[in-house]
Amino acid sequence: MARRVAVVGAGMTKFVRRAQETGKELAWEASRAALDSCELTLDDVDAVCLTSAPDAFDGVHMKGEYLSDGAGAFGKPFIRTYVGGGSGVFTAIQAWYTVASGMADVVLAVAEEKMSSTQPHPQGAFLTIFDNVLERPLGPNLLWIFALEMNRYMSVYDLDKRDIAQIAVKNKRNAAGHPAALLGQSDITVEDVLGSETLAWPVQRLDVSPISDGAVAVVVASEEAARRITDRPVWIDGVGWNLDTTYWTNRDLVFPEYVANAARMAYDMAGVTEPRKQIHIAEPYDPFDYKELHHLEGLLLFEPGKAPEAARDGVLNRDGDLPSCPSGGLLGVGNPIAAAGLMKIAELYWQLRGDAGERQVPGTPERGVAQAWGDLMQVGTVVVMGRDGVSRSSGSSPPATSDTVAATSLPVVQTPPYATAGHPLSDAQFRGAVGAVDHAVDARYEWDAGVAVGRFLDGLAEGRILGRECRGCGRVLVPPRMFCERCFRATDSWVDVRHSGSVETFSICHVAWDMTPLDEPQLPAVISIDGSDGGFLHVLGEVAPDDVRVGMAVEAVWKPEVERTGSILDIAYFRPRATGD
Amino acid sequence: MEPRVAVVGIGHAGFAPITAGVSYKELMFEAAQRAYFDAGVDPRTGVDSFVCCSEDFLEGTSIFDEYVPDQLGAVQRPVQTVAGDGLFGFVTALMLIRSGIASVVAVEAHSKVSDVRSLGAIEAFALDPVLNRPLGISTLNVAGLEMNAFLERTGLSEEHCAMVASKNRTNALDNPRAAYPAHLSVEDVDDSTPVSWPLRDLEVARRADGCVVMVLASEERARQLTEAPVWILGAGWASSSPSLESRLWGHAESTTRAAEMAYRLADVGDPAEEIDLAEVDDVYAFRELEHLEALGIATGPELASLLEAGDLDIGGEMSVNASGGSIGQGNLFEANGLVRVLECVEQLRGEAGERQVDEAYVAVAQSARQVPSTSSAVVILANDAGAGG
């Protein structure tokens, strides 16, 4: 059986909009703070686990290699794992299996992100997350997919924007006392969020955590080593991760099934059978405010659609029954992507030791869950952590309540070790700095569309929408593929599907990828195609933005035949269709 | 190294200069199907965890992790990306199984480098942005610097490096999957254009597309799944200095460290004696020699006489890159590490056909990440006979 594994130290830099430090320097500062916190040196570390989100942020190919010495990896076993936005929590999972497997006793896990290097806007790194053949020609940006998912969630559960905005308020208020936070604000209100600029309806500026620079590190150790290092280890009791299909337009975005799968995996391992009772602190991933609600449901802490109600009732507040993002989360502390995920692990470590200072959750929280999310709304990473002495043996213990606070609050013995690094630079300082180097990568590609999508594109040129039928599960796959991902067998035949469908979800986007305003808003939508079990991303036309509804019947408007080139753009757009025909 | 883990299934696809008309997804699907068939597992129910290896800039996609699950049968399953060479994914699979969180793990790596239109620029994008890039140097320059330092230190000659290129292209003639088999003499290599002296054109592995998928299993599951498990006796991996300014030029330092770890775990005391064949990184011909030295198989002067005596050839004292290596099979970038394991597994199973090495019981596979980085991994593999039953 696997060895028990604990977190024994943690450190972080300040999260800032643009750091003076390089990525390597940020990684070093966080690593040093984490090692200092448990009085270890690099000589005590057997292996290094690193994570960081797209290489395009730092503007370095193989950036894990580039960052490695800053993360203390010189001469040591070193691997960079990478699951998009899920990476920060995943690197704690990586540290767990590196120790649990017996390959190392003490591991340094480091998450770094320096987003500010990307010009003119870090969102540029996300332009290439989309399918290179079917989606990129439409010019999608990152806000689209968040807006599409948020709208689906709000539409299905008939939620008001206030239900969503209250999360941004809670988290920015929670971060007010956080020494490393970029966005703490004790007096922010729901009206402030509702009054902020609309970027891609329903997403407004204060619904979003902004781009940031920063790094976080934790020290992870085997039971034997942990007992030697500290008298208060915090155990990693459960880990889970899960990746859903690439074809996000074929899924119902209303519920993150992949997060639920990852949560079940982690809970099973931790012996958690009733998560709502046995989890006392949650750090769900909150790059956008609705995501926290979405993820609390995915973590099986609330029924689908019920997290907003809990938020309204104060359940998620720091002194509530299930404090959620007591750190302040990404919305409050900041969002250097991978680092923000590992920050959630560090927060649970501090909270479960009673070291969280002003942010300390009252009562005697015994067990917490941290979660991150990423890729194309597709990956869930989950870690369950438990306080020493109760971990794994207290499966049925009652949750902490505010009634028990006075008698049993944990003593606050130290303030968390934050690095002083993370020096903010203004734009002017950055432009004027010696050694600021401009470099544009010459990155050119020519992708093979492949057999399935190649035929699909040929079909579009002919004015046909083609799907592939799988006789194993009976589905008609659009976009088509030569394999069925569910049955894992070759698909069987080509099928002409209809040129009509319905709006699964949509957004009204007012900004380009670099945040410059658009003259005319774009109307991206996921279209479910009639006669198939799938659909794809496209745009709407011949309709006023205010008239678009989820579920609306639409039809393809084709370009004239002579203008078609075998591209997703051979369909000019989808327009409303009179129903009943 | 207890508990033991074995390779129970291998599959590959591609291995060609260009795989036109086929997408990377379709390439992966083909390799995965073969690996699962070989292992006798259904990925939808019989594989607990999936590890993919890729780097974003080689794919032209930010967060390439997004595009892997469907064609591997991994939808709604635990899947992760290792941003690195396949051999790091391989040791990750090993750790997942040893940790007890998985019994059967699939690991995948591929190259669809024919999609990349500006490869040199992307490779150079791995250099330090502030200190190195303004100099306008290429990764070939870095390899040339490394080669010159290595030859200076060891006294090995340019001709010895040419002998490696000639041997590997010739070995590839007996490898049906190799993309670049050729009858190539030492003189042919020596006469080829210097691309960054002393490095010559024919000493640089040509790029190729391809995919390798492997299935690893715990000892218990391995015994159920196959009669010819290939055991992982030891594994090691290490990083060295990523910066050009502070590395030890002419030494494969990270391979030395990775080998020490792997030998310790595998209880290998005398690698030259105990190992029967080696598949090592030869993306640049001189690196085969540099890596053999770091693996403790021979010193510089010894390598010269081994090469001259043909002792590194198939049928020699220690067959090195019987597959043809990267020079013979093609440079599959992040898949190179798994390509080396693939050959070891075929050899240890006795399935290597015309290039079969006699008495193959214990093998070493080594991989180094692409220049300018300095990370390496080493695994020691054995069949039942080599593992002591």
Side-chain angles (χ1 to χ4, degrees):
Chain A
M1 192 52 217
R3 309 197 293 173
R4 289 186 81 190
V5 178
V7 179
V8 297
M12 69 186 290
T13 68
K14 288 178 182 164
F15 286 2
V16 296
R17 166 67 186 79
R18 179 196 300 284
Q20 179 185 17
E21 290 83 357
T22 62
K24 279 183 200 252
E25 288 165 344
L26 289 170
W28 139 251
E29 293 287 356
S31 300
R32 184 182 60 171
L35 289 170
D36 284 354
S37 79
C38 51
E39 297 176 337
L40 295 184
T41 69
L42 199 53
D43 290 341
D44 300 310
V45 172
D46 301 320
V48 173
C49 300
L50 175 87
T51 198
S52 189
D55 291 30
F57 285 144
D58 290 70
V60 182
H61 170 45
M62 302 196 287
K63 85 165 165 181
E65 300 295 328
Y66 165 75
L67 292 168
S68 61
D69 52 356
F74 173 75
K76 294 189 189 294
F78 164 74
I79 292 177
R80 172 190 172 205
T81 52
Y82 178 32
V83 290
S87 295
V89 168
F90 191 80
T91 199
I93 297 175
Q94 184 194 357
W96 173 84
Y97 65 65
T98 302
V99 174
S101 66
M103 301 302 276
D105 290 324
V106 178
V107 165
L108 181 63
V110 184
E112 174 273 358
E113 210 72 69
K114 186 167 169 81
M115 301 171 76
S116 64
S117 307
T118 322
Q119 298 296 328
H121 195 285
Q123 263 229 39
F126 293 113
L127 295 175
T128 53
I129 66 171
F130 295 96
D131 184 277
N132 46 45
V133 177
L134 295 177
E135 291 170 352
R136 287 190 215 173
L138 295 163
N141 71 52
L142 185 67
L143 285 169
W144 285 22
I145 59 172
F146 285 102
L148 293 167
E149 190 179 62
M150 181 165 166
N151 190 14
R152 181 79 190 156
Y153 181 62
M154 289 175 64
S155 299
V156 169
Y157 297 122
D158 195 22
L159 299 172
D160 189 89
K161 192 64 205 298
R162 297 183 79 84
D163 294 326
I164 306 290
Q166 61 180 339
I167 296 299
V169 171
K170 168 179 70 70
N171 291 0
K172 288 174 197 299
R173 287 185 181 178
N174 279 352
H178 195 310
L182 174 62
L183 300 150
Q185 192 181 343
S186 58
D187 60 352
I188 190 170
T189 65
V190 167
E191 279 63 38
D192 292 333
V193 180
L194 297 179
S196 65
E197 177 194 350
T198 300
L199 303 173
W201 186 89
V203 173
Q204 294 174 271
R205 189 171 290 280
L206 291 179
D207 293 319
V208 190
S209 61
I211 49 167
S212 327
D213 294 349
V216 177
V218 300
V219 181
V220 172
S222 65
E223 179 163 22
E224 194 192 332
R227 293 285 180 210
R228 207 167 55 232
I229 294 166
T230 178
D231 56 356
R232 290 178 299 139
V234 175
W235 301 100
I236 296 177
D237 285 339
V239 297
W241 65 104
N242 198 272
L243 185 65
D244 210 338
T245 172
T246 304
Y247 299 91
W248 60 279
T249 56
N250 290 184
R251 291 188 245 132
D252 192 337
L253 300 174
V254 73
F255 184 75
E257 192 61 49
Y258 46 93
V259 173
N261 290 336
R264 284 185 201 105
M265 181 175 169
Y267 293 154
D268 277 354
M269 183 176 154
V272 169
T273 50
E274 294 178 273
R276 179 66 185 84
K277 288 186 182 160
Q278 294 164 283
I279 298 289
H280 309 148
I281 305 177
E283 277 283 342
Y285 198 60
D286 62 322
F288 285 57
D289 42 15
Y290 81 96
K291 291 291 343 177
E292 176 166 331
L293 299 165
H294 209 224
H295 291 149
L296 287 167
E297 294 165 14
L299 288 166
L300 312 173
L301 295 168
F302 299 96
E303 293 293 314
K306 297 297 183 198
E309 199 176 297
R312 274 199 299 275
D313 295 344
V315 172
L316 307 181
N317 293 344
R318 182 175 287 137
D319 59 356
D321 194 43
L322 179 61
S324 181
C325 291
S327 63
L330 281 58
L331 289 160
V333 187
N335 187 16
I337 297 180
L342 192 58
M343 182 267 286
K344 291 178 175 288
I345 299 287
E347 182 70 11
L348 288 186
Y349 169 72
W350 290 320
Q351 290 283 356
L352 293 169
R353 276 166 65 99
D355 281 358
E358 282 184 46
R359 299 193 310 283
Q360 184 64 48
V361 165
T364 52
E366 293 176 353
R367 193 180 285 107
V369 63
Q371 174 259 337
W373 160 97
D375 291 10
L376 284 168
M377 303 179 284
Q378 186 184 5
V379 68
T381 52
V382 175
V383 170
V384 175
M385 290 165 66
R387 183 154 63 87
D388 192 35
V390 295
S391 178
R392 275 202 182 168
S393 58
S394 60
S396 58
S397 76
T401 66
S402 43
D403 297 343
T404 60
V405 174
T408 56
S409 278
L410 293 165
V412 176
V413 296
Q414 63 179 84
T415 52
Y418 306 104
T420 50
H423 295 103
L425 278 188
S426 69
D427 245 34
Q429 286 170 319
F430 173 68
R431 307 274 163 215
V434 174
V437 175
D438 245 342
H439 183 92
V441 63
D442 173 24
R444 283 175 286 122
Y445 306 88
E446 201 167 73
W447 292 286
D448 276 303
V451 180
V453 172
R455 182 75 193 88
F456 179 71
L457 296 177
D458 288 345
L460 292 176
E462 298 160 13
R464 301 161 68 189
I465 302 178
L466 293 171
R468 272 300 275 187
E469 185 179 10
C470 170
R471 294 196 191 117
C473 58
R475 293 186 307 155
V476 174
L477 306 174
V478 177
R481 36 255 192 210
M482 298 314 291
F483 47 85
C484 172
E485 74 277 9
R486 292 196 193 163
C487 306
F488 204 64
R489 58 188 290 281
T491 49
D492 300 287
S493 54
W494 291 100
V495 182
D496 270 283
V497 297
R498 299 187 57 183
H499 301 183
S500 60
S502 59
V503 173
E504 175 88 358
T505 179
F506 69 98
S507 172
I508 306 164
C509 187
H510 299 276
V511 290
W513 66 270
D514 58 359
M515 292 293 159
T516 51
L518 296 170
D519 295 335
E520 291 289 326
Q522 295 168 310
L523 293 174
V526 177
I527 314 292
S528 297
I529 298 294
D530 292 339
S532 84
D533 295 90
F536 46 82
L537 179 70
H538 220 286
V539 292
L540 300 173
E542 293 184 46
V543 61
D546 288 348
D547 294 338
V548 185
R549 295 290 178 269
V550 168
M552 191 169 79
V554 292
E555 62 190 3
V557 176
W558 295 87
K559 278 186 179 166
E561 200 171 341
V562 292
E563 290 177 24
R564 292 184 209 145
T565 58
S567 154
I568 192 72
L569 301 177
D570 289 349
I571 297 173
Y573 51 83
F574 282 78
R575 71 179 172 204
R577 177 174 67 93
T579 46
D581 62 347
Chain B
M1 194 170 63
E2 304 285 336
R4 294 205 298 185
V5 175
V7 179
V8 298
I10 51 175
H12 69 271
F15 284 75
I18 309 175
T19 46
V22 184
S23 69
Y24 63 83
K25 287 184 187 175
E26 289 155 355
L27 206 56
M28 287 166 70
F29 179 62
E30 186 184 338
Q33 273 192 315
R34 288 182 178 184
Y36 300 143
F37 180 78
D38 187 43
V41 294
D42 174 353
R44 301 303 293 144
T45 53
V47 176
D48 303 312
S49 209
F50 299 81
V51 181
C52 296
C53 307
S54 62
E55 283 283 7
D56 281 0
F57 273 108
L58 287 176
E59 308 292 340
T61 295
S62 269
I63 320 180
F64 189 72
D65 191 55
E66 296 162 346
Y67 291 94
V68 298
D70 298 77
Q71 59 272 27
L72 295 177
V75 167
Q76 290 208 358
R77 309 284 297 155
V79 181
Q80 68 182 94
T81 288
V82 165
D85 174 84
L87 208 52
F88 293 86
F90 188 85
V91 301
T92 296
L94 169 72
M95 286 192 278
L96 289 169
I97 293 170
R98 284 174 54 91
S99 79
I101 204 160
S103 302
V104 179
V105 178
V107 53
E108 181 274 345
H110 67 272
S111 156
K112 190 70 162 114
V113 71
S114 67
D115 285 348
V116 183
R117 282 299 182 233
S118 55
L119 185 64
I122 284 168
E123 289 180 315
F125 205 50
L127 291 162
D128 183 280
V130 177
L131 294 177
N132 301 149
R133 274 188 222 158
L135 302 171
I137 55 172
S138 71
T139 49
L140 282 172
N141 296 153
V142 178
L145 293 170
E146 176 74 24
M147 178 172 173
N148 200 14
F150 174 69
L151 296 183
E152 259 321 293
R153 181 177 64 77
T154 57
L156 288 167
S157 68
E158 287 177 63
E159 196 185 358
H160 291 121
C161 301
M163 289 167 82
V164 169
S166 164
K167 165 177 75 71
N168 291 0
R169 292 292 285 270
T170 309
N171 283 355
L173 290 166
D174 287 331
N175 182 351
R177 71 172 166 266
Y180 297 100
H183 289 284
L184 202 66
S185 69
V186 175
E187 292 69 34
D188 292 335
V189 180
D190 239 358
D191 289 345
S192 67
T193 323
V195 288
S196 188
W197 185 89
L199 184 67
R200 291 179 185 277
D201 185 40
L202 290 176
E203 293 171 346
V204 182
R206 281 11 187 195
R207 63 195 210 171
D209 291 352
C211 179
V212 182
V213 175
M214 285 190 186
V215 182
L216 278 65
S218 65
E219 178 159 12
E220 190 188 345
R221 288 292 289 136
R223 291 288 180 206
Q224 294 162 352
L225 288 168
T226 179
E227 288 180 357
V230 170
W231 301 102
I232 304 165
L233 298 187
W237 65 105
S239 184
S240 178
S241 175
S243 115
L244 298 187
E245 292 75 14
S246 58
R247 66 180 51 177
L248 196 53
W249 290 92
H251 291 260
E253 212 184 350
S254 60
T255 297
T256 306
R257 289 174 187 263
E260 278 168 11
M261 179 176 172
Y263 292 153
R264 179 166 41 81
L265 292 169
D267 205 15
V268 168
D270 181 352
E273 192 55 42
E274 295 170 47
I275 292 171
D276 304 309
L277 65 118
E279 287 286 318
V280 305
D281 174 76
D282 64 330
V283 167
Y284 307 101
F286 79 92
R287 281 193 135 193
E288 176 171 312
L289 302 172
E290 194 183 31
H291 292 144
L292 287 171
E293 186 196 47
L295 287 165
I297 286 168
T299 62
E302 288 167 352
L303 282 166
S305 42
L306 287 171
L307 268 172
E308 287 156 12
D311 279 333
L312 305 181
D313 297 349
I314 297 169
E317 215 165 279
M318 160 87 76
S319 302
V320 176
N321 287 333
S323 63
S326 291
I327 287 179
Q329 294 173 102
N331 181 1
L332 275 79
F333 291 77
E334 305 307 350
N336 284 340
L338 289 188
V339 173
R340 301 188 207 294
V341 177
L342 178 70
E343 177 69 12
C344 292
V345 171
E346 289 190 347
Q347 290 283 357
L348 294 169
R349 283 179 174 182
E351 293 174 356
E354 294 290 311
R355 64 187 191 287
Q356 180 65 47
V357 171
D358 290 338
E359 316 243 333
Y361 303 115
V362 180
V364 59
Q366 175 268 357
S367 196
R369 299 212 57 202
Q370 306 282 318
V371 170
S373 72
T374 53
S375 285
S376 299
V378 173
V379 298
I380 316 298
L381 302 156
N383 53 25
D384 264 330

